[in-house]
Amino acid sequence: MCIRDSMLAVAGLVGTLMQFDYAANCFADETPETSDATQKRIFSGLQPGEAVKPFTVLYIKDDETQELELVKDTDQGITLLCFVHRLSNDDRVLFGLGLVDFYAARHRDLTSHIVLLSDDRDKITTMLRGWSRASFFTKSLVSLSGDGAEGPGYYGLNRNVAMTVLVVKDKKVLNNLVFNAPNGRDLESIMAAVATALGKPKPTLATVQKELRAERQRKLEEKIKASPVFKLAPNEQLGRIMFGMVNVRGNRSKNAQRRSQQFLEWAGDSNERRLELQKYCRDVLKGDFQLDQYSRAVVARLADDGDTDLN
C-alpha cells in the first residue's frame, strides 16, 4: 500500500472513531424517566411467539448493490432485527445503533440486521455507501428494505414509529420493542433483550459506553503507531503531534495553530530540538501526506527555519 493510500485509510478510520466517540457519549446524561419504553404501548411488527419469514433487502457496499434474503437461517442462534423507519446522517438513531452494533459484535452466536425502510432508494443508497466506506457498523448487516417505506408486508410494521426491534430465536419472535424517539435507556433495553435471549448478564448503557470509549482509544493508538508520519518521526511526541496535523478533527485553521504551538513548546529554546523539528518537517513535506492548506503552511514554515508565527 502506498503512503497516500495509507493516509486515506487512516483518515477514514479517524472519521469513524469520531462517530464512535459521539455514540459513546451522546446518551450519557439520560435517565430512566426519559425512556421511550415507559410511554404508552405502540404496536408495530410481529409479536412474541409469532414466526418470522424471509424477506428481501438491498445490501449496498461501496459501488456494489446486492439483493439478499434475510432470516432464512434464524434457527441458528439469536437474530436481532432493527427496522428503522426514520433516519438521517445526523440522526441520534444512527449513533445509537452504532452502540448496539458494538455490543452485538461481542457475541459470535448473534446475527444482527439493521434494515432501513424508505421509498427514496437513491438517497438511502448514497447514505449506505458512505457508511460502508467508513466501516461504521462491524457486526450488523445494514441494508435497505426491498419493500420500501412499509417494509415486508407480513411483518406488519408501523411506519409512523422511528424504529421496530425484534429479537428472534428458533424462527420465532422472543421480544418486540417499538420506539418513537429512541434514547439511551431504549438502547439499553435492546441490549438487555439480546442478553436475555443469549443467556448473558444484562449490560448497562454506562458499561457499554465505557467499553466503547476504551475500544475507540485502542484503535486510535493502533492507527497512530501505524501512521507513516508517526513512523517517520524522530520520537513519539513529534509523531503524535504530526498525526494530529494530518488527521484533522474540527476546525482546520485552529487545529493547525494548536499543533504548531505544540511543536514549538516541544522544541523550546533548544537549538538541537529545533533542528530536529526542522528536519522532520522537511521530511514530511517530501511525502504525500495529504496536508490541508493550513497544516502545510505551518509545516513549511517550521521546515524553513524551525519557527513560525501565525499572528
Side-chain angles (χ1 to χ4, degrees), residues 214-282:
E215 177 69 4
R216 180 193 70 87
Q217 186 60 38
R218 184 188 67 78
K219 287 188 175 181
L220 180 58
E221 284 297 313
E222 286 181 355
K223 291 303 174 181
I224 288 176
K225 292 179 180 179
S227 168
V229 289
F230 183 85
K231 292 180 178 180
L232 186 64
N235 62 65
E236 181 173 330
Q237 189 173 353
L238 285 182
R240 288 181 177 277
I241 298 172
M242 191 64 77
F243 179 88
M245 184 77 86
V246 174
N247 299 278
V248 180
R249 298 181 63 172
N251 185 284
R252 295 178 182 275
S253 176
K254 291 182 178 179
N255 179 73
Q257 293 181 50
R258 184 171 66 254
R259 303 300 179 186
S260 173
Q261 187 61 36
Q262 290 173 346
F263 278 132
L264 294 177
E265 289 176 356
W266 175 85
D269 296 327
S270 169
N271 288 331
E272 182 180 350
R273 284 196 170 194
R274 284 180 174 263
L275 289 173
E276 190 174 24
L277 174 61
Q278 182 182 51
K279 181 180 183 303
Y280 177 42
C281 288
R282 287 177 177 175

Side-chain angles (χ1 to χ4, degrees), residues 18-35:
M18 291 173 67
Q19 292 175 314
F20 279 162
D21 196 32
Y22 185 88
N25 292 285
C26 69
F27 302 100
D29 298 328
E30 293 177 349
T31 62
E33 288 72 23
T34 66
S35 173

Side-chain angles (χ1 to χ4, degrees), residues 123-196:
K123 176 183 176 181
I124 300 300
T125 296
T126 300
M127 187 184 297
L128 288 177
R129 282 186 181 136
W131 294 357
S132 71
R133 293 188 180 103
S135 300
F136 185 53
F137 295 96
T138 59
K139 171 73 172 183
S140 306
L141 189 148
V142 186
S143 62
L144 170 64
S145 171
D147 297 288
E150 298 291 341
Y154 171 78
Y155 281 74
L157 298 167
N158 182 347
R159 67 180 296 168
N160 295 317
V161 301
M163 184 163 65
T164 303
V165 178
L166 305 178
V167 180
V168 180
K169 182 179 182 180
D170 298 329
K171 297 188 177 181
K172 290 186 178 181
V173 175
L174 281 181
N175 209 326
N176 170 297
L177 301 164
V178 182
F179 307 109
N180 262 327
N183 57 37
R185 305 305 298 188
D186 296 327
L187 298 177
E188 186 172 276
S189 69
I190 294 172
M191 292 184 284
V194 170
T196 298

